[in-house]
Amino acid sequence: MAARTPGAEPATPPAATEGPVLVVGAGLLGASIGLGLRHLGVEVWLQDASPTAEAVAEDIGAGRSCRAAAEDRVPEPGLVVVAVPPDVAAETVARALEEHPAAVVLDVASVKEAVLEGVRARGADLTRYVGTHPMAGRERSGPVAARGELFTSMPWVVCDSGSSSPAALAAARHLAVDLGATVTFMDAREHDATVALISHLPQVMSSLLASRLQETPLHHLSLAGQGLRDTTRIAASDPGLWVQILAANAGPVVAALHGVREDLDRLIATLEAPRAPGARLDIAQLMAEGNAGRARIPGKHGGAPRAFETVTVLVGDVPGQLARLLAEIGEIGVNLEDLRLEHSPGQPVGLAEVSVLPHRRKELIEALQERGWKVVQ
Amino acid sequence: MAARTPGAEPATPPAATEGPVLVVGAGLLGASIGLGLRHLGVEVWLQDASPTAEAVAEDIGAGRSCRAAAEDRVPEPGLVVVAVPPDVAAETVARALEEHPAAVVLDVASVKEAVLEGVRARGADLTRYVGTHPMAGRERSGPVAARGELFTSMPWVVCDSGSSSPAALAAARHLAVDLGATVTFMDAREHDATVALISHLPQVMSSLLASRLQETPLHHLSLAGQGLRDTTRIAASDPGLWVQILAANAGPVVAALHGVREDLDRLIATLEAPRAPGARLDIAQLMAEGNAGRARIPGKHGGAPRAFETVTVLVGDVPGQLARLLAEIGEIGVNLEDLRLEHSPGQPVGLAEVSVLPHRRKELIEALQERGWKVVQ
């Protein structure tokens, strides 16, 4: 099925996921899905290899623990959501398809082709299976980190197995929409190639960069600016999860990494003879290619890349100061497209960089200055 | 001279930069220094190879154009600040030392050893020269982007030439302090090794990553999350400037890049045989090394790394909503340590991730919920 951008997703009638839903795997995603469905009044049952995780998930209200309810008869689910780690997703999906012959079975692993092939290899019924990927991770994991709104306004990719029934695809789409996500359809291969570039490669590059800082003296790191903070933020992610993601999507990730290595080798060779003819042109070209790639990332709301203009304002580092600024921007009636705080090593003063539509910038600056704000320009 | 952390910088008596100051190079840094000094009432004169840049800098109030004043006699400066591109910094400094035999001459290039060696090679008087580096760039450049507060609460590195006189060092320190910066002393070699890791390497990694996105279909990029946005933000930087920086600091940058390449080669080899024994351990180790490096980056105010806890709140994408939230956080009396907005592809709802001190988190969540905010947890 052709990919569709979130923007192209048509408005849907109030979608309805019918319970009972069985969530297998009570980690961050499973528990968050359970919480979200419970908020909608859907009956949710939880299963996890870890009795503790299963119990915690029940305690936070993500659904009922199958173990705890062992004596009742757990109802036969109409929908099974498999939210286990990627390396056991395929076998768990296959088992669920077999144990629940009437149910639609979805998984939410962040790699899709390996799971699909694993399910196929087990001879399971692909008409009732749909692979999906809610693109809403967090740096933390486990049921305690779960939140029902985890998926709000995030993309949720739905992958036809090639034989998925219309009913199964509808169930996948309803689940995503019910939880506030924006649905995009892709096949598994296209999904994996996409996340290799927009998610897995950034993770690898951030980790490679951050690992260079292991020996750096702290008083050197204290000079670090926002650039280093931004480029290394996701390097804090959970190795256990990423091992599985990278191993399961090794092919597309390696392809991207080979491209990186070619550029890196070229740059190293150039910088080893920085006075050689053409050296500066090589460096400039690499930087310009970076400019070009960056410029293609869509802006807020998934729209086309859009150049906002920024207004930078001095704020004191005391409670309420930034609030007063934003309140006055609200009064002025200019919409804040984005906001970045510049950290202030050594001093209790911050710079708030406010992004606004270009044609509102001048007006905003004047209005802020009238109100006594120090606008930095 | 031993490096000192910004925190270790003693409170200084109101420092005073005595005019007239001659700023050579009216780009972003030169014009910003001029603006900042003019705000303090210091007499500033401007010189730039480009008559236009020189005139623009004068028009924005960064000082007086030497060209325009050609008929007056431009006064003999006590301080010359050389703010020209790195590849002409050394010769410009040497000329200034010769033309102004009584003046202290500083440069503000973002590489220091190449400049120092260039000045030394020209047989100039190193007692009156001090290399400095205000670590406060922007993604934009040129005098139009200049702002007097560019240096507010940013680090400013001061490098003894090895023969710099106490008076010259004091002049450098006063300039930085007058402009609101936080002074750190290092020698040129230590400075270059430091910025190679905390500034130049992140730039290269971000550019290498972003350049992979040149061929990615836009509807794939529309799935991009905050991780890709953060890791590629600085890839938008000016190639022209970075060519000079990377060429002038090639040695330390290449050393860091060799480390990256070793890790990258190891990772590629591992991912090419992801089922080989030990493969997963290799990947986990790389990720864990990234965790370790990231954890060493100091938090806000250049203090030791400090784990803030986050509270995530749902906000509508309408003027004033975020403001109301922050205003109420102010009323509650909890200080905002950091704020991150999560962009919302496809939907007009945002998540505001507020960082607070761990012991204030519970109180803040309860207070916000009482006030009807949807706290996501």
Side-chain angles (χ1 to χ4, degrees):
Chain A
M1 190 181 291
R4 288 203 258 136
T5 64
E9 176 65 15
T12 46
T17 296
E18 303 263 322
V21 173
L22 172 63
V23 176
V24 182
L28 170 65
L29 287 181
S32 295
I33 289 169
L35 274 171
L37 289 176
R38 290 299 304 130
H39 292 167
L40 298 171
V42 177
E43 179 182 358
V44 178
W45 290 83
L46 302 162
Q47 239 175 43
D48 195 285
S50 150
T52 313
E54 191 173 308
V56 170
E58 181 175 59
D59 292 346
I60 63 171
R64 295 184 59 186
S65 157
C66 292
R67 271 197 191 76
E71 300 178 8
D72 310 346
R73 208 180 128 287
V74 178
E76 185 55 28
L79 175 66
V80 180
V81 179
V82 171
V84 300
D87 61 356
V88 290
E91 70 182 79
T92 311
V93 166
R95 194 181 320 114
L97 285 165
E98 195 183 316
E99 287 175 3
H100 308 288
V104 167
V105 178
L106 315 176
D107 81 297
V108 295
S110 45
V111 291
K112 299 266 61 86
E113 196 165 18
V115 178
L116 173 60
E117 291 318 313
V119 175
R120 191 195 308 278
R122 289 168 170 81
D125 174 7
L126 291 179
T127 63
R128 292 184 290 116
Y129 166 66
V130 179
T132 81
H133 178 203
M135 302 185 69
R138 299 182 69 184
E139 282 128 35
R140 280 150 292 171
S141 58
V144 238
R147 54 194 211 195
E149 298 81 356
L150 185 66
F151 311 102
T152 304
S153 76
M154 295 295 177
W156 193 316
V157 178
V158 172
C159 302
D160 189 333
S161 71
S163 342
S164 305
S165 71
L169 288 167
R173 180 147 171 261
H174 284 164
L175 177 68
V177 172
D178 288 351
L179 296 178
T182 307
V183 177
T184 298
F185 294 93
M186 290 185 176
D187 66 30
R189 180 181 300 268
E190 183 182 16
H191 166 274
D192 287 359
T194 302
V195 292
L197 274 175
I198 68 169
S199 168
H200 305 173
L201 185 62
Q203 179 62 56
V204 167
M205 296 297 278
S206 185
S207 297
L208 286 170
L209 168 59
S211 88
R212 292 294 103 209
L213 306 176
Q214 292 177 91
E215 308 301 326
T216 313
L218 283 177
H219 68 274
H220 290 179
L221 287 173
S222 70
L223 298 179
Q226 200 57 42
L228 185 66
R229 289 189 169 79
D230 287 352
T231 47
T232 56
R233 183 178 60 80
I234 56 177
S237 305
D238 170 28
L241 174 64
W242 276 95
V243 168
Q244 298 184 35
I245 294 175
L246 295 175
N249 200 28
V253 172
V254 164
L257 290 179
H258 276 293
V260 170
R261 182 162 63 179
E262 277 174 33
D263 288 348
L264 178 58
D265 287 346
R266 199 179 84 212
L267 180 63
I268 288 176
T270 303
L271 289 178
E272 279 172 342
R275 270 151 203 70
R280 292 178 181 235
L281 179 59
D282 283 353
I283 302 173
Q285 191 173 347
L286 175 82
M287 304 299 300
E289 286 167 2
N291 290 171
R294 164 67 184 184
R296 303 186 71 246
I297 300 176
K300 194 177 173 189
H301 298 181
R306 185 189 209 174
F308 293 118
E309 288 191 1
T310 62
V311 176
T312 306
V313 186
L314 233 65
V315 292
D317 180 22
V318 293
Q321 256 269 51
L322 183 62
R324 195 162 62 72
L325 169 65
L326 298 189
E328 299 192 8
I329 292 174
E331 287 162 23
I332 295 163
V334 173
N335 194 14
L336 194 70
E337 299 296 341
D338 195 7
L339 172 67
R340 230 166 46 79
L341 290 182
E342 248 172 57
H343 287 210
S344 316
Q347 287 193 27
V349 177
L351 296 174
E353 194 170 273
V354 175
S355 300
V356 297
L357 290 172
H359 69 280
R360 307 299 305 276
R361 180 169 187 271
K362 190 162 167 298
E363 160 195 4
L364 177 61
I365 290 175
E366 287 164 1
L368 284 174
Q369 283 170 333
E370 271 170 26
R371 292 157 176 261
W373 287 98
K374 194 148 184 126
V375 178
V376 159
Q377 34 181 344
Chain B
M1 188 180 292
R4 284 204 259 140
T5 64
E9 176 65 12
T12 46
T17 295
E18 302 261 324
V21 173
L22 173 63
V23 175
V24 182
L28 169 65
L29 288 180
S32 295
I33 290 169
L35 274 170
L37 289 176
R38 290 297 305 128
H39 292 167
L40 298 171
V42 177
E43 178 183 357
V44 178
W45 288 82
L46 302 163
Q47 238 174 45
D48 195 285
S50 149
T52 314
E54 190 174 308
V56 170
E58 181 175 63
D59 292 346
I60 63 170
R64 295 184 58 187
S65 157
C66 292
R67 271 196 189 79
E71 300 179 5
D72 310 344
R73 209 182 124 288
V74 178
E76 185 56 25
L79 175 65
V80 180
V81 179
V82 172
V84 300
D87 61 356
V88 289
E91 71 181 81
T92 311
V93 166
R95 194 181 319 116
L97 285 165
E98 194 182 319
E99 288 174 1
H100 307 288
V104 167
V105 177
L106 316 176
D107 81 298
V108 295
S110 45
V111 291
K112 299 268 60 88
E113 195 164 19
V115 178
L116 173 59
E117 290 320 311
V119 175
R120 191 195 309 277
R122 288 167 171 83
D125 173 8
L126 291 178
T127 62
R128 291 185 291 119
Y129 165 67
V130 180
T132 80
H133 179 201
M135 302 186 70
R138 300 182 69 184
E139 282 127 35
R140 280 150 293 172
S141 59
V144 234
R147 54 195 213 197
E149 298 82 356
L150 185 66
F151 312 102
T152 303
S153 76
M154 295 295 176
W156 193 317
V157 178
V158 172
C159 302
D160 189 333
S161 73
S163 338
S164 305
S165 71
L169 287 166
R173 180 147 170 263
H174 283 164
L175 176 68
V177 172
D178 289 351
L179 296 179
T182 307
V183 178
T184 297
F185 294 94
M186 288 185 177
D187 66 29
R189 179 180 301 268
E190 182 182 17
H191 166 274
D192 288 359
T194 301
V195 292
L197 274 175
I198 68 169
S199 168
H200 305 173
L201 185 61
Q203 178 62 57
V204 168
M205 296 297 278
S206 185
S207 297
L208 286 170
L209 168 59
S211 88
R212 292 293 104 211
L213 305 176
Q214 292 177 92
E215 308 301 327
T216 312
L218 282 178
H219 69 272
H220 290 178
L221 286 173
S222 70
L223 298 178
Q226 200 57 41
L228 184 66
R229 289 190 169 78
D230 287 352
T231 47
T232 57
R233 183 178 60 81
I234 57 176
S237 304
D238 170 29
L241 174 63
W242 277 95
V243 168
Q244 297 185 35
I245 293 175
L246 294 176
N249 200 28
V253 172
V254 163
L257 290 179
H258 275 294
V260 171
R261 181 162 64 179
E262 278 173 32
D263 288 348
L264 178 59
D265 287 345
R266 201 178 81 214
L267 180 62
I268 287 176
T270 303
L271 290 178
E272 279 172 343
R275 271 150 204 72
R280 293 177 180 235
L281 180 59
D282 282 354
I283 302 173
Q285 190 174 349
L286 176 82
M287 303 299 301
E289 286 167 1
N291 290 169
R294 164 66 185 186
R296 304 186 71 246
I297 300 175
K300 196 175 170 190
H301 298 180
R306 185 190 210 170
F308 294 118
E309 288 189 2
T310 63
V311 175
T312 306
V313 186
L314 233 65
V315 291
D317 180 23
V318 293
Q321 255 270 52
L322 185 61
R324 195 163 60 73
L325 169 64
L326 298 188
E328 299 192 7
I329 292 175
E331 288 161 24
I332 295 163
V334 173
N335 195 15
L336 193 71
E337 298 297 339
D338 196 5
L339 172 68
R340 229 164 50 78
L341 289 183
E342 247 172 56
H343 289 213
S344 316
Q347 286 194 27
V349 178
L351 296 174
E353 193 169 273
V354 175
S355 301
V356 297
L357 290 172
H359 70 279
R360 307 299 304 277
R361 181 169 187 272
K362 191 161 166 299
E363 160 194 2
L364 177 62
I365 291 176
E366 288 164 1
L368 285 174
Q369 284 169 333
E370 271 170 27
R371 292 158 176 260
W373 287 97
K374 193 149 183 114
V375 178
V376 159
Q377 42 180 340

